[in-house]
Amino acid sequence: QSALAQPASVSGSPGQSITISCTGTYSDVEKHNLVSWYRQYPGKAPEVIIFEVNKGPSGISNRFSGSKSGNTASLTIFGLQAEDEADYYCCSYADTPTHVVFGGGTKLTVL
Amino acid sequence: QLQLQGSGPGLVKPSETLSLTCAVSSGSISDSDYWWGWIRQPPGKWLEWIGSIYHSGATYYNSSLKSRVAISVDTSKNSFSLRLSSVTAADTAVYYCARQPSYGKWYFNLWGRGALVTVSS
């Protein structure tokens, strides 16, 4: 069982927006503004798309947006495109001695 | 552009030690404030952070693996390595090496391609 809880799957049609939740505890998501999100295509390495809750790396589309409320972080993808179909993982820094925890991943299907 | 390439045996016997090395190319492992980490992903499952190291040798480990893990750095070879002892089938996974921007920046902004390690007799 992963440390952070994510829905196993979400789906949406092209052009729609979807949100993926990531629920942790006070010791990780709530206490630290150090939530990151990764996109992973089948057979490929993950790629960071959001870091420190709501910051986007250069080169990543601004259709990806991150937020946090209490012990739950969220990733919203605006204007879904076929290329967004992938697995998405959240990650958070956590109090010592844990340090880093990941979510169980969410499979996004673009209908 | 800096690249990471993990390598090592693809098959390890139960109870033995898994050893992987990540070569850093087109840049120095000692550059800036980068930390270097190992993350693994069992087939069909989620990511699990194993640990991270600074070029000075300072390390942080996943507490659930700490008794079996050792991460080291070799600045002369521009590489860092993972050793995981007493492996079982549960350690079968794709092992990724990755870069953290700095201490306190707990995310990974550059990943290697991943190396599949199977634990089986």
Side-chain angles (χ1 to χ4, degrees), chain A residues 62-75:
Chain A
N62 58 10
R63 295 186 299 106
F64 296 95
S65 177
S67 62
K68 188 183 81 166
S69 178
N71 67 349
T72 299
S74 299
L75 171 70

Side-chain angles (χ1 to χ4, degrees), chain B residues 3-10 18-24 29 36-38 70-75 77-84 95-98 112-115 117:
Chain B
Q3 292 185 325
L4 305 177
Q5 179 65 56
S7 63
L18 176 161
S19 295
L20 294 171
T21 296
C22 185
V24 179
I29 199 168
W36 308 91
W38 289 97
I71 297 176
S72 59
V73 64
D74 189 335
T75 55
K77 294 183 179 179
N78 217 33
S79 68
F80 60 105
S81 298
L82 168 70
R83 288 174 59 86
L84 180 66
Y95 285 76
Y96 295 101
C97 53
R113 285 200 308 178
V117 178

Side-chain angles (χ1 to χ4, degrees), chain A residues 19-36:
Chain A
T19 296
I20 300 171
S21 61
C22 170
T23 302
T25 66
Y26 173 77
S27 297
D28 40 61
V29 173
E30 184 164 357
K31 184 176 180 181
H32 305 284
N33 288 324
L34 293 171
V35 176
S36 52

